Amino acid sequence: REICLKYNFPWRVVDQTGPRDRPDCYQADWNNLHRNVKLRFGQEDCLRAIDQSEEGGIINAATGFGKTFVFEAVAHLYPRAKIDIVVPPKDVAKKVLGQLTASFPNVGIVTGEQNVLGERITVFTADSMHKANGEADIVLADEAHELCS
């Protein structure tokens, strides 16, 4: 998009996916979020920015902000959405899986050795993303700048 704008090329986004299986998947449930998690300073502002965004974005925050915790918060905020979470190494995937299984049933994990899709939430290592089934309403990435390397 930025390149098109820079060089004055016309562009448009066309969604050809058809109707969603979960038409209310992007309906934020703030009560559910606040019932289930305790947010730290700045995290609610971050989630409100995510909720208001129509194009996605990047959370650029200092170490200790709780960017990985935001994955759990997003899953509570959008309880009807199917969510894929992508992380670079397997040890981070297992850490995120442990964190999510404390709050959600049937969280899946897909790595080089494991291939268990979750009912609603699946954690992927970056090198296993090709195993995704394309049904996710929301895709979250940890350390997104490392995923292309």
Side-chain angles (χ1 to χ4, degrees):
R1 172 181 164 208
E2 284 77 26
I3 292 173
C4 289
L5 292 173
K6 180 178 178 181
Y7 293 103
N8 239 4
F9 292 124
W11 65 277
R12 66 185 176 127
V13 175
V14 178
D15 183 356
Q16 297 182 339
T17 57
R20 301 208 70 75
D21 291 339
R22 296 164 295 279
D24 59 349
C25 66
Y26 301 118
Q27 183 66 44
D29 186 340
W30 291 95
N31 290 328
N32 187 57
L33 172 72
H34 291 296
R35 256 191 323 271
N36 289 288
V37 297
K38 182 172 172 35
L39 299 172
R40 294 188 304 196
F41 179 78
Q43 290 175 333
E44 182 155 349
D45 292 337
C46 176
L47 291 166
R48 291 210 180 269
I50 290 169
D51 187 42
Q52 294 171 3
S53 173
E54 293 183 15
E55 298 181 1
I58 295 175
I59 299 169
N60 187 4
T63 302
F65 174 79
K67 295 179 290 287
T68 304
F69 169 78
V70 171
F71 296 158
E72 178 182 350
V74 167
H76 284 295
L77 183 59
Y78 300 102
R80 292 167 293 280
K82 190 163 174 89
I83 301 171
D84 286 350
I85 299 171
V86 188
V87 298
K90 184 170 62 172
D91 60 320
V92 176
K94 289 184 178 184
K95 176 185 168 197
V96 172
L97 176 71
Q99 178 181 332
L100 292 170
T101 54
S103 296
F104 301 98
N106 305 313
V107 177
I109 185 165
V110 178
T111 67
E113 298 93 32
Q114 297 174 281
N115 192 18
V116 181
L117 295 176
E119 280 183 23
R120 188 169 86 83
I121 303 168
T122 303
V123 180
F124 290 85
T125 53
D127 60 351
S128 299
M129 226 12 235
H130 64 281
K131 297 178 183 176
N133 60 15
E135 294 180 2
D137 303 303
I138 298 171
V139 177
L140 302 169
D142 190 22
E143 303 297 341
H145 63 283
E146 293 180 10
L147 297 179
C148 295
S149 60

